[in-house]
Amino acid sequence: MSRRVPTYLPFNVSMSNALNNSRLFDPYRWSTSAEVVLACNDLQEQLQLNDRRYKPYVMMVLLDLYCSWRSDPTQYISISRDKNRYGKFSRYASILVGHRGIVTLTDRLRDEGFIEYVNAVCYRDPVTGIPYAGYTTRMRATKKFIRLIVKHKIKLSMISRHPNEAVIKFRTVKNENDIARDIKDFDAPRDVERSGKVLVKYNDLLQRSYIDLDDELLTSADLEELKRYDRKLERYVVEYSIDLSKKRVYRVFSNEDWKQGGRVYGAWWHGCPKELRKYILINGEPVIELDFSAIHVLLLYAHLGENFLDEGVDAYTIEGHNFRKAMKVVMMSAINAKPDEKADGDTRAIQATWDTLIKKLNKERKKHDVNSHDSLYEMLEAIKERHRPIAQFLASGEGIKLQREDSDIAVDVIKRHTDMNVPILTVHDSFIVPRSFEPFTRDIMNQAYGKLVAKYLGVGFTSEIETINCLTGEIVKEETDCNLNVTGLIKPAFKPEELRATYIALDRRTFSQQLKRQFRWRSNRYQFNKVYRFLQQHSRRS
């Protein structure tokens, strides 16, 4: 089949705003439910794709279109028709998704009216002909498609993840801004392979757990915090889209280097706005979010053999600058900024800070009279003066290496919770757990941090939790006099009064859509586990 040439059109603002509400095609949705199989057979028959090789393609596209429609009916799915995006080095390598199958299927869906289809678009300057904006092919479900879903009574609880989905992914330098590739053709170090086994067990636990969110309890204050400034629309908007069926995670390494990146991604809570995360429920229980305070700053000092926590001060509070949130953004941007051919590290850090302040803290930025880059440069210089020992690491691209260390800590925390069969949700260096498990999670986080920095500081952290010998009943407590000072290491992501109000609201509910979902999940749990066990058996055989 010939390659479709992108359409060159004048810039259309309304179409651009609509197409911006999109996400990448997710080919890893899978199901063995009888209803889904019948729906796929029905759709394949209507599209006259009789070749059995199209069966997996039909299921992937059908389930992803349905999940997208359930999370946001106006959302588009972005899917590439470029042959170079498929093959052994593509994100589809582990499940053998081919270019011809995807293109043929989407063309038939478009021709039969099952999808609303938008060709790839490239906007060019009418004088110079230089492209300045563009989009890959977009699609979303039509009413005809939804009628097929309703006819076969497909539910979200019937959808799982493909058993061959990789848990370790790798980015090359050339494709750093593209989706991560599967690890299939790369030799991983042993510690990375061990972390992959940890994530496999962790994903098993997540699939067996009920993880949901009750956003009907959002207060006016929460909605105000959720507002983000949209430069194109030139107004504040509240936008979020959550797909509760995405509960599988993976690690992503960067720049063809196993010592860079490695953070955990993939689940719906990774893209969930912070203001919503306090309304998460794990197996019906409210949660608490615990955060490592200034983890990258602590690690940089640890590399020099210093424990910054011994100073007993906040890393982002600097005399003469009362806009702490901006100081934090400047600091983190400086740690992550990397010089390139067009600009030095400082400039990149300030540009990233400005974009973040405009989008997330625009009102506070105006309140503190931060109206230009000059104010941010002053903050950056104040940070370098305050943190003089680690100033050499700022604006040098050190952040991507620190991500490997904070991700190792996160994997260690995940492993310890998984071994105890306690679901934990990670958002990089913060952890969401059932509130009844908070003391244990704090102790585990301290142990994981101490284990990593012990090679720099010469001292670690031994658990302070008492244990009981199940045979003798003896209470055992380890010697902790030589523990690393971890005072101020862990802080709750939300203030106590916020959490108290949230817990009261959750306890007083009598009806909500979340409670309905929880009841349905408990009713169908046996069926879901049976389907899940079948998927695991299939995975082992393959």
Side-chain angles (χ1 to χ4, degrees), residues 197-246:
K197 295 178 181 179
V198 170
L199 293 185
V200 169
K201 293 181 180 179
Y202 176 54
N203 283 327
D204 291 351
L205 176 60
L206 292 178
Q207 294 299 322
R208 297 196 306 270
S209 305
Y210 173 72
I211 305 168
D212 206 339
L213 172 79
D214 196 341
D215 59 349
E216 294 179 34
L217 299 178
L218 284 170
T219 64
S220 56
D222 293 328
L223 291 172
E224 193 66 28
E225 288 291 324
L226 276 169
K227 285 184 179 179
R228 299 289 181 264
Y229 186 75
D230 191 312
R231 287 183 173 181
K232 293 182 178 180
L233 300 177
E234 296 184 346
R235 60 183 174 87
Y236 290 93
V237 297
V238 176
E239 292 181 341
Y240 62 88
S241 178
I242 295 174
D243 181 357
L244 295 173
S245 66
K246 295 184 70 173

Side-chain angles (χ1 to χ4, degrees), residues 460-472:
F461 187 91
T462 303
S463 174
E464 296 179 341
I465 299 292
E466 296 178 343
T467 58
I468 301 177
N469 188 312
C470 62
L471 297 178
T472 64

Side-chain angles (χ1 to χ4, degrees), residues 207-208 524-534:
Q207 294 299 322
R208 297 196 306 270
N524 298 324
R525 187 172 181 178
Y526 171 74
Q527 178 186 1
F528 177 80
N529 285 342
K530 186 171 73 171
V531 170
Y532 178 71
R533 283 196 296 272
F534 174 82

Side-chain angles (χ1 to χ4, degrees), residues 27-91:
Y28 294 105
R29 302 189 192 277
W30 200 252
S31 177
T32 56
S33 169
E35 292 87 344
V36 173
V37 173
L38 288 173
C40 291
N41 291 340
D42 188 359
L43 180 60
Q44 191 172 351
E45 184 178 341
Q46 293 188 48
L47 298 177
Q48 297 180 357
L49 295 173
N50 299 321
D51 194 324
R52 65 180 183 181
R53 290 177 295 180
Y54 286 106
K55 284 184 178 294
Y57 293 94
V58 171
M59 180 171 289
M60 293 171 193
V61 174
L62 180 141
L63 295 179
D64 200 33
L65 283 170
Y66 171 58
C67 288
S68 175
W69 178 81
R70 280 297 303 265
S71 62
D72 182 0
T74 65
Q75 183 182 71
Y76 283 95
I77 293 176
S78 171
I79 187 165
S80 177
R81 297 175 67 96
D82 184 352
K83 193 172 184 178
N84 295 324
R85 295 299 182 98
Y86 300 83
K88 68 176 184 178
F89 291 110
S90 76
R91 62 191 290 252

Side-chain angles (χ1 to χ4, degrees), residues 41 96 127 201 227 234 245 250 301 305 368 373 388 400 406 424 457 459 471 518:
N41 291 340
L96 303 177
V127 178
K201 293 181 180 179
K227 285 184 179 179
E234 296 184 346
S245 66
Y250 50 83
Y301 274 98
H368 288 86
H373 287 191
R388 194 176 299 175
I400 195 72
D406 75 45
I424 182 172
L457 303 179
V459 59
L471 297 178
Q518 184 173 339

